[in-house]
């Protein structure tokens, strides 16, 4: 037989596009249209429905950027359509290739009841099936004219990302507003053709199945009268029935489909628009659940449920009913799908605390899975946090985006820094926006790396990023793929059902140890510095607020601000979303974030001040108290206590031979040359130089920074090829305890204070940058005279080690990585820490010197970038950073100094000579990460601790209050039934911790 494949395939495409698809709606009549353009921000529904409308027509332009237009469409169903299915086709001017990234709408009835959402892949509203004829139709559309930020030519700078700069030019053209007859048979024929055509393209040419499908498609096309598609569609379907009925073999890959709409809580739209995106999507999904009995939809992010509960209670009522029916599944158990690299220990824990508690309180549902399809890599401390929250599974897809190394597993156990293992799945479909195409289904089966030992994978199915969700077309395709020869089988299942099956069939999955590093989007550790600083500061203010409010409640009977802290925590957690904290959102998002962080800081400082005032007593008392919020003693004051501060020896400053100055405090001697660079940091007791010979530390370096794509997200390795050392000096002036340095470069200016602290082995570096560069990357380099094959970076509840060399492609890929408060390098017996108050990105490299064959290991902290997409003014303006170089530091010193720089001393005058801590710990390796009152309002004291050094630790936890009962709990403060609690022994608790173990204690007060 001759090969006529291309002939039939080409025929199928043209007949589908030009004849069959238009026949879905064979008859239509136009609707009357009127519009009210609401001024300013979105208005309540009742106001929108009552707005003064004016006539408008198809073809008219509408919608200023970020505006809201309330369309009123009305008409009458023709009498002759009686007994037929009728839909309203409401095309606001959509580009079907941009679901989630364009204008959208929510349709209401005249009484304000929401009907469903409109988006580029969902433009229909059912009027009746069947209609009686003569019905009057009146619908209102709340249409959002969100501008296109990520266009066909992506990553071009645009002012559309902020309402303040976007202008008023209409963005869209009304395309179609009709009542139309819906021909279900033609629509079903399209699904038949698409499923078979897409499957056929994936089958091997030498297999009989491909040719069977080709012949069936050819016969079906022969049955279609191109001038009467509606009259002949049924016959065409009959000719396809046989190939659609051939079942898949028992060995076929099994795909668990779950309805999904990945909705970024902010990204190329502001937070307020996400509230409406969630309402549109959930309105669509609850309607679809009513029509499709096998369909299951999952939505993560408790924050998004909370938004519709607050802003769209009518939609939320439908969601609650669907959840109760088991069809709408709250997934993931987190407040938002957060970044997991940068949030601190407690913040990462609270993502699960607040998320899981919301789902428990609202729906009575306990999540076993963490659901993070789009997060940009996963910190090695996360498995322990997931388990401590009472969950046991993780799903993500993003690691498939790695550009250098292909991850070797799709289903595996992920082991964190403490040894906790979490059963993890990466969907081999390689998208969290699966649309049930044949190519996607075939890719999932072919790509699945566990073939031969496992057969299940998961496919999150629906349009996402900007929402939209699953469509009726996807569900129709899934029905045909339930068991179809040549394809993986498809079944709608909730995430928990998938994970239970996958875990049961794979008793001994492979193990991946350590972080899940994404070999992409590395620059998200640096972009939008003010957002990152706001997050870091908020995390530590929350620690202080909880500590002092709990202490004041126990010591002074002060009221504990439960509701205020709960609200603020949720605000901070929201801003850890994986496109806010990473700095990859539009300007509007980050402008609002800066204001939010200012408000959060003011509120928390008030909480802290009120609690400390309650503890210190009358300010006229004259006693100067130092409040120490850090988990280690400082200035002679115990951790979590207040008392008079001890003073250390002074700092000497003298001219340096050859120019510059020498700083000394009896512990360190710092040499600063005439360029204002640190050329020596001598540890006096160890008789050891820190700075590599011939090198200079605190060297600011600037690189060009124009990645191949994803500007705010990416830094490509070639940026290192060009570097400029910023050594020109405007000013070098002695100040108390140190020197002041001023430099100008390009259009920017940097001012630094380098000071030695009395009695401390550290050099403090305060940096102010007035930044006005474009597409540049600013770093500060510290070349160290230290030989180390690995270094430590702080992560949640511990630290992770990374190589300093590039032996393998996996190590070479980590040319920019994340740390929290410190990085630490060490030779046996002597090390160096570099701590920070707000930076996350860094790189570490090593070279061998020709002069003495010694090793120079260079740590560079990333300070600022200047990408132009999606915010063309990223990071322009003044920024302040604090770092400290700590020679002679062990890992314990790094932990201590990291907390110190993030928890500044607070001083207050009062009558009391001291405030005793609620909790003491006799081992510095065991760190208290939180002291608070229990969230349930019982008054119980909750203490969370972790082993910070990476070794076994015993600790005596002393209690500064009477306790009558003790429980070891999960993160939600529920007693662990499988853990024997330690005994309360004379007002103390003796603990034994494994490396990096975290423990939460709940103590009932007497």
């Amino acid at each position: 037989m001759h090969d006529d494949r291309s002939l039939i395939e080409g025929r199928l495409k043209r007949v589908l596009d030009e004849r069959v698809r238009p026949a879905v709606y064979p008859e239509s009549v136009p609707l009357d249209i009127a519009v009210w353009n609401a001024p300013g921000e979105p208005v309540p529904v009742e106001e929108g429905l009552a707005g003064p409308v004016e006539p408008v027509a198809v073809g008219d332009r509408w919608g200023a950027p970020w505006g809201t237009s309330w369309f009123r469409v009305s008409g009458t169903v023709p009498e002759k359509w009686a007994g037929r299915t009728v839909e309203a086709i409401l095309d606001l001017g959509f580009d079907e290739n941009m679901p989630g990234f364009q204008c959208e709408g929510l349709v209401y009835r005249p009484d304000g009841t929401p009907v469903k959402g409109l988006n580029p892949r969902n433009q229909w509203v059912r009027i009746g099936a069947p209609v009686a004829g003569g019905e009057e139709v009146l619908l209102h559309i709340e249409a959002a004219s969100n501008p296109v930020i990520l266009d066909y030519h992506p990553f071009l700078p645009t002012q559309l990302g902020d309402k303040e700069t976007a202008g008023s030019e209409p963005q869209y053209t009304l395309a179609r507003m009709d009542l139309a007859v819906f021909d279900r048979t033609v629509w079903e024929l399209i699904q038949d053709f698409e499923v078979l055509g897409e499957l056929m393209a994936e089958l091997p040419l030498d297999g009989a199945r491909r040719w069977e499908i080709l012949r069936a498609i050819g016969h079906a096309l022969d049955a279609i009268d191109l001038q009467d598609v509606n009259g002949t569609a049924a016959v065409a379907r009959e000719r396809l029935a046989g190939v659609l009925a051939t079942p898949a073999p028992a060995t076929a890959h099994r795909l668990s489909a779950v309805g999904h709409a990945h909705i970024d809580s902010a990204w190329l739209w502001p937070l307020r628009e996400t509230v409406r995106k969630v309402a549109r999507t959930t309105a669509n999904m609850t309607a679809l659940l009513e029509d499709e009995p096998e369909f299951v939809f999952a939505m993560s992010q408790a924050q998004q449920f909370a938004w519709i509960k607050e802003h769209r209670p009518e939609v939320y009522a439908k969601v609650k009913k669907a959840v109760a029916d088991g069809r709408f599944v709250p997934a993931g158990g987190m407040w938002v799908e957060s970044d997991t690299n940068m949030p601190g220990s407690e913040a990462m824990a609270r993502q699960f605390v607040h998320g899981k508690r919301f789902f428990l309180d609202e729906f009575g549902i306990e999540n076993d899975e963490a659901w993070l399809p789009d997060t940009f890599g996963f910190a090695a401390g996360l498995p322990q946090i997931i388990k401590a929250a009472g969950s046991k599974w993780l799903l993500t897809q993003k690691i498939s985006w790695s550009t250098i190394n292909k991850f070797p597993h799709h289903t595996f156990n992920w082991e964190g820094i403490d040894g906790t293992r979490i059963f993890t799945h990466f969907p081999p479909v390689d998208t969290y926006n699966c649309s049930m195409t044949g190519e996607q289904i075939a890719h999932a089966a072919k790509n699945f790396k566990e073939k031969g030992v496992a057969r299940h994978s998961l496919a999150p199915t629906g349009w996402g990023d900007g929402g939209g969700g699953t469509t009726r077309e996807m569900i129709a395709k899934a029905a045909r793929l339930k068991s179809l020869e040549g394809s993986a089988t498809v079944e709608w299942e909730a995430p928990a059902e998938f994970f239970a099956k996958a875990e049961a069939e794979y008793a001994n999955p492979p193990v991946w140890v350590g972080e899940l590093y994404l070999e992409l989007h590395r620059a998200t550790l640096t972009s939008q510095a003010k957002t990152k600083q706001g997050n870091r500061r908020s995390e530590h203010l929350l620690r202080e607020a909880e500590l002092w409010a709990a202490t004041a409640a126990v010591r002074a009977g002060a009221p504990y601000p439960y509701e205020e802290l709960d609200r603020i925590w949720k605000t901070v957690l929201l801003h850890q979303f994986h496109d806010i904290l990473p700095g990859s959102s539009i300007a509007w998002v980050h402008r609002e974030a800066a204001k939010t962080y200012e408000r959060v800081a003011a509120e928390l400082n008030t909480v802290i001040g009120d609690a400390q005032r309650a503890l210190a007593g009358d300010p006229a008392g004259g006693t100067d108290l130092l409040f120490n919020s850090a988990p280690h003693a400082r200035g002679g004051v115990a951790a979590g206590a207040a008392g008079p501060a001890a003073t250390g020896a002074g700092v000497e400053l003298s001219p340096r031979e050859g120019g510059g100055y020498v700083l000394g405090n009896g512990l360190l001697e710092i040499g600063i040359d005439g360029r204002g660079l640190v050329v020596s940091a001598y540890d006096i007791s160890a008789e050891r130089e820190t700075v590599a010979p011939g090198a200079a530390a605190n060297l600011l370096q600037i690189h060009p920074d124009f990645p191949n794509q994803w500007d705010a997200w990416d830094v490509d390795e070639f940026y290192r090829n060009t570097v400029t050392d910023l050594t020109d000096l405007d000013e070098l002036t002695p100040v108390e305890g140190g020197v002041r340095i001023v430099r100008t470069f390009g259009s920017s200016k940097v001012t630094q204070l380098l000071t030695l602290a009395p009695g401390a082995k550290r050099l403090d570096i305060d940096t102010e940058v007035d930044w006005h560069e474009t597409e540049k990357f600013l770093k500060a380099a510290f070349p160290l005279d230290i030989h180390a094959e690995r270094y430590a970076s702080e992560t949640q509840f511990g630290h992770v080690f990374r190589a300093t060399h590039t032996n393998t492609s996996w190590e070479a890929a980590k040319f920019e990585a994340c740390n929290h408060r410190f990085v630490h390098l060490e030779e046996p017996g002597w090390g160096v820490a570099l701590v920070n108050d707000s930076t996350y990105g860094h790189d570490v490299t090593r070279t061998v010197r020709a002069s003495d064959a010694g090793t120079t290991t260079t740590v560079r902290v990333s300070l600022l970038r200047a990408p132009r997409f999606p915010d063309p003014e990223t990071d322009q303006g003044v920024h302040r950073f604090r770092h400290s170089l700590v020679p002679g530091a062990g890992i314990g010193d790094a932990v201590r100094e990291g907390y110190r720089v993030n928890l500044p001393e607070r001083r207050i005058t009062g009558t009391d000579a001291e405030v005793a801590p609620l909790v003491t710990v006799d081992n510095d390796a065991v760190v208290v990460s939180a002291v608070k009152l229990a969230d349930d309002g019982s008054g119980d004291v909750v203490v969370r601790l972790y082993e910070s050094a990476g070794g076994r630790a015993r600790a005596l936890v002393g209690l500064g209050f009477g306790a009558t009962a003790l429980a070891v709990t999960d993160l939600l403060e529920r007693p662990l039934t499988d853990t024997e609690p330690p005994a309360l022994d004379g007002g103390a608790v003796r603990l034994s911790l494994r490396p990096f173990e975290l423990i939460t204690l709940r103590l009932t007060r007497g």
Side-chain angles (χ1 to χ4, degrees):
M1 184 177 289
H2 296 296
D3 185 351
D4 56 355
R5 269 185 312 113
S6 60
L7 188 68
I8 295 175
E9 290 168 0
R11 182 186 181 194
L12 172 63
K13 183 179 187 310
R14 185 175 186 191
V15 170
L16 259 178
D17 290 346
E18 296 185 22
R19 293 292 189 271
V20 181
R21 294 190 205 280
V24 171
Y25 295 106
E27 299 177 57
S28 64
V29 296
L31 288 160
D32 294 324
I33 319 165
V35 67
W36 174 56
N37 296 308
E41 285 295 280
V43 299
V45 173
E46 57 273 17
E47 186 177 340
L49 297 177
V53 295
E54 297 178 352
V56 67
V58 167
D60 287 349
R61 299 282 289 168
W62 72 277
W66 306 113
T68 302
S69 297
W70 284 85
F71 290 97
R72 186 181 69 188
V73 296
S74 58
T76 304
V77 177
E79 297 283 354
K80 65 179 181 178
W81 291 357
R84 304 173 77 178
T85 298
V86 175
E87 295 181 345
I89 310 303
L90 307 173
D91 186 345
L92 298 172
F94 296 123
D95 180 338
E96 289 191 1
N97 294 318
M98 291 190 175
F101 296 92
Q102 274 221 329
C103 57
E104 299 173 42
L106 183 56
V107 179
Y108 295 89
R109 295 187 180 92
D111 65 358
T113 304
V115 180
K116 67 187 295 285
L118 299 176
N119 62 60
R121 294 298 179 103
N122 211 321
Q123 304 176 18
W124 58 274
V125 175
R126 180 65 52 84
I127 301 301
V131 296
E135 292 95 334
E136 294 296 326
V137 175
L138 177 60
L139 298 172
H140 298 263
I141 308 167
E142 180 190 16
S145 49
N146 302 331
V148 175
I149 307 296
L150 190 66
D151 214 331
Y152 286 99
H153 186 160
F155 318 122
L156 289 179
T158 174
Q159 295 295 331
L160 291 171
D162 195 330
K163 192 173 182 178
E164 294 182 354
T165 60
S168 58
E169 183 70 21
Q171 299 292 295
Y172 298 100
T173 302
L174 278 181
R176 185 179 183 185
M177 295 279 176
D178 290 346
L179 287 177
V181 172
F182 175 70
D183 189 325
R184 183 83 192 194
T185 303
V186 174
W187 183 85
E188 295 285 5
L189 177 61
I190 293 170
Q191 315 316 312
D192 293 343
F193 272 140
E194 287 192 352
V195 166
L196 290 171
E198 290 166 0
L199 172 60
M200 178 176 65
E202 299 301 323
L203 293 172
L205 278 173
D206 57 359
R209 178 64 169 163
R210 178 162 182 161
W211 294 92
E212 289 173 358
I213 294 173
L214 185 78
R215 297 297 162 219
I217 287 173
H219 290 316
L221 290 169
D222 290 341
I224 297 174
D225 182 341
L226 297 183
Q227 278 66 51
D228 185 17
V229 172
N230 301 89
T232 54
V235 178
R237 290 203 71 205
E238 289 173 5
R239 294 189 178 186
L240 296 174
V243 288
L244 283 167
T246 309
T251 55
H253 184 71
R254 297 170 186 174
L255 207 61
S256 296
V258 57
H260 188 236
H262 174 68
I263 304 178
D264 287 310
S265 288
W267 180 28
L268 305 180
W269 45 86
L271 288 167
R272 66 89 153 146
E273 193 56 34
T274 314
V275 175
R276 303 201 296 177
K277 283 178 174 286
V278 174
R280 296 172 199 130
T281 298
T282 52
N284 267 357
M285 295 303 98
T286 52
L288 201 55
L289 287 167
E290 292 174 2
D291 294 339
E292 304 290 346
E294 294 188 359
F295 177 52
V296 177
F297 181 77
M299 189 171 93
S300 68
Q301 306 191 74
Q303 171 69 85
Q304 297 188 358
F305 287 82
W307 275 334
I308 52 173
K309 179 182 179 181
E310 178 184 356
H311 297 283
R312 292 291 190 273
E314 301 89 348
V315 177
Y316 191 64
K318 292 183 178 182
V319 169
K320 286 205 77 169
K321 181 183 182 303
V323 171
D325 293 341
R327 308 279 309 288
F328 195 117
V329 182
M334 296 175 67
W335 190 247
V336 295
E337 289 182 12
S338 73
D339 180 81
T340 76
N341 285 313
M342 290 176 281
S345 304
E346 276 303 311
M348 199 74 255
R350 305 301 175 92
Q351 285 286 352
F352 288 91
V353 169
H354 287 281
K356 294 195 75 168
R357 186 171 288 138
F358 182 92
F359 290 154
L360 282 164
D361 291 347
E362 289 290 315
F363 310 118
I365 287 176
E366 173 91 17
N367 293 95
D368 285 327
E369 78 289 336
W371 184 273
L372 289 163
D374 190 30
T375 297
F376 309 151
F378 298 86
L382 189 58
Q384 179 175 208
I385 296 171
I386 293 172
K387 182 178 179 181
S391 298
K392 57 184 178 180
W393 301 318
L394 169 66
L395 177 134
T396 185
Q397 177 272 325
K398 200 67 172 187
I399 300 299
S400 70
W401 286 40
S402 286
T403 57
I404 298 174
N405 299 284
K406 196 165 183 64
F407 197 80
H409 315 297
H410 282 112
T411 304
F412 60 100
N413 276 332
W414 178 29
E415 181 177 318
I417 55 175
D418 74 311
T420 297
R421 291 181 176 179
I422 293 294
F423 187 78
T424 302
H425 180 66
F426 293 174
V429 71
D430 281 351
T431 178
Y432 46 78
N433 295 329
C434 176
S435 55
M436 283 290 142
T437 68
E439 181 181 10
Q440 290 171 335
I441 304 307
H443 177 75
K446 294 173 185 176
N447 188 39
F448 188 52
K449 291 185 170 56
E450 321 312 317
K451 287 189 284 283
V453 289
R455 194 173 291 150
H456 283 84
S457 72
L458 188 142
T461 302
W463 298 113
D465 290 316
T470 317
T471 64
R472 60 184 179 183
E473 289 78 13
M474 295 173 194
I475 293 175
K477 287 188 172 186
R480 289 159 173 78
L481 296 169
K482 190 168 186 177
S483 181
L484 181 62
E485 183 186 357
S487 171
T489 66
V490 176
E491 182 177 7
W492 294 104
E493 290 187 307
E497 294 175 283
F498 159 75
F499 272 109
K501 290 179 180 179
E503 196 169 30
E505 77 172 356
Y506 206 6
N508 294 296
V511 177
W512 181 270
V513 179
E515 67 184 325
L516 293 169
Y517 179 93
L518 178 63
E519 297 172 356
L520 193 74
H521 292 359
R522 301 168 183 87
T524 58
L525 303 172
T526 305
S527 297
Q528 298 287 2
K530 282 187 168 61
T531 299
K532 291 170 171 57
Q533 289 176 323
N535 173 73
R536 179 76 71 84
R537 186 69 180 127
S538 297
E539 288 180 352
H540 289 82
L541 285 170
L542 277 161
R543 171 196 175 88
E544 290 188 85
E546 289 183 337
L547 169 66
W548 298 122
T551 306
V554 174
R555 293 271 178 264
Y560 189 81
Y562 291 101
E563 293 183 2
E564 190 172 1
L565 290 173
D566 178 81
R567 173 178 52 78
I568 294 172
W569 261 119
K570 289 172 179 174
T571 298
V572 174
L573 297 177
L574 166 60
H575 286 78
Q576 292 178 338
F577 178 74
H578 66 253
D579 274 309
I580 303 178
L581 179 55
S584 46
S585 287
I586 55 174
W588 191 347
V589 173
H590 293 289
R591 174 171 55 80
E592 285 191 332
K595 294 178 181 177
T596 298
Y597 284 129
E598 288 177 7
R599 185 179 69 252
V600 163
E603 290 182 291
L604 289 174
N605 278 313
T606 298
V607 171
I608 294 163
D610 290 347
Q612 291 181 341
R613 172 55 55 213
L615 291 164
D618 188 349
T623 302
D624 188 19
L625 292 176
L626 182 153
F627 279 79
N628 179 18
S629 305
H632 308 90
R634 177 167 59 185
V637 178
T647 57
V651 175
E652 294 183 359
L653 180 110
S654 57
R656 176 180 174 273
E657 186 177 348
Y661 297 91
V662 175
L663 310 179
N665 65 358
L667 300 173
L668 289 180
E669 189 173 273
I670 305 296
I672 300 168
D673 71 5
R675 302 169 297 171
L677 301 177
V678 177
V679 291
S680 174
Y682 188 73
D683 181 347
I684 294 172
S685 61
E687 299 181 336
R688 175 76 184 251
E689 177 58 65
T690 306
V691 180
N698 189 40
L699 172 65
L700 296 174
Q701 296 180 309
I702 197 163
H703 300 265
D705 184 19
F706 189 65
N708 288 347
Q709 57 182 353
W710 297 109
D711 295 40
W713 294 257
D714 282 0
V715 56
D716 289 332
E717 193 173 13
F718 55 72
Y719 88 93
R720 289 177 168 177
N721 297 345
T722 306
V723 59
T724 301
D725 293 343
L726 302 179
T727 57
D728 290 344
L729 186 68
D730 295 350
E731 179 185 330
L732 177 60
T733 308
V735 297
E736 183 178 356
V739 297
R740 180 175 185 267
I741 300 161
V742 180
R743 306 180 195 278
T744 53
F745 57 93
S747 301
S748 303
K749 177 181 178 180
V750 61
T751 302
Q752 291 187 304
L753 290 177
L754 273 58
T755 55
L756 267 185
K761 195 184 285 189
R762 70 171 188 270
L763 173 66
D764 292 330
I765 304 165
D766 287 11
T767 302
E768 178 182 288
V769 185
D770 189 3
W771 180 247
H772 298 284
E773 305 307 304
T774 299
E775 293 166 350
K776 295 290 192 295
F777 197 2
L778 181 66
K779 285 184 170 258
F782 294 82
L784 307 174
D785 188 12
I786 198 162
H787 177 86
E789 294 184 358
R790 66 178 190 175
Y791 72 99
S793 292
E794 189 183 34
T795 189
Q796 292 100 4
F797 298 112
H799 54 266
V800 63
F801 288 107
R802 299 190 186 96
T804 61
H805 55 74
T806 55
N807 281 0
T808 71
S809 59
W810 294 87
E811 291 151 352
K814 297 180 180 180
F815 60 82
E816 184 80 5
C818 183
N819 63 272
H820 286 185
R821 289 168 292 228
F822 69 79
V823 294
H824 178 258
L825 296 95
E826 189 169 31
E827 292 178 6
W830 194 85
V832 180
L834 186 61
V835 304
N836 71 84
D837 77 336
S838 59
T839 57
Y840 295 92
H842 70 277
D843 69 89
V844 177
T845 55
R846 67 200 300 265
T847 57
V848 174
R849 302 186 292 270
S851 59
D852 62 357
T855 300
T856 296
T857 304
T858 301
V859 180
R860 298 198 309 161
V861 296
S862 303
L863 297 178
L864 289 165
R865 300 183 67 235
R868 300 185 65 210
F869 182 88
D871 176 4
E873 302 296 324
T874 302
D875 278 331
Q876 301 301 296
V878 177
H879 304 269
R880 293 177 177 85
F881 308 96
R882 297 180 68 210
H883 294 82
S884 295
L885 180 68
V886 191
I891 196 71
D893 300 306
V895 173
R896 183 190 68 248
E897 292 298 329
Y899 274 103
R900 178 201 58 78
V901 76
N902 283 275
L903 291 164
E905 298 176 355
R906 291 180 185 264
R907 295 176 183 270
I908 190 169
T909 303
T911 53
D912 293 334
E914 62 179 3
V915 177
L918 292 184
V919 178
T920 61
V921 183
D922 70 346
N923 184 343
D924 275 354
V926 178
V927 172
V928 175
S929 68
V931 177
K932 59 190 290 292
L933 295 193
D935 290 341
D936 61 7
S938 63
D940 291 356
V941 175
V942 172
V943 180
R944 189 147 35 247
L945 315 93
Y946 69 100
E947 196 288 318
S948 66
R952 300 274 176 173
R954 295 182 180 275
L956 186 67
V957 180
L959 306 179
F961 58 94
T964 59
L966 164 68
V968 178
T969 74
D970 65 7
L971 293 177
L972 276 71
E973 302 167 5
R974 303 174 297 192
L976 298 175
T977 57
D978 59 350
T979 300
E980 185 70 26
L984 271 171
D985 183 10
V989 182
R990 191 168 296 279
L991 299 177
S992 178
L993 290 84
R994 67 177 184 273
F996 299 130
E997 181 180 7
L998 74 89
I999 292 178
T1000 304
L1001 303 177
R1002 180 170 179 152
L1003 299 133
T1004 302
R1005 287 190 279 155

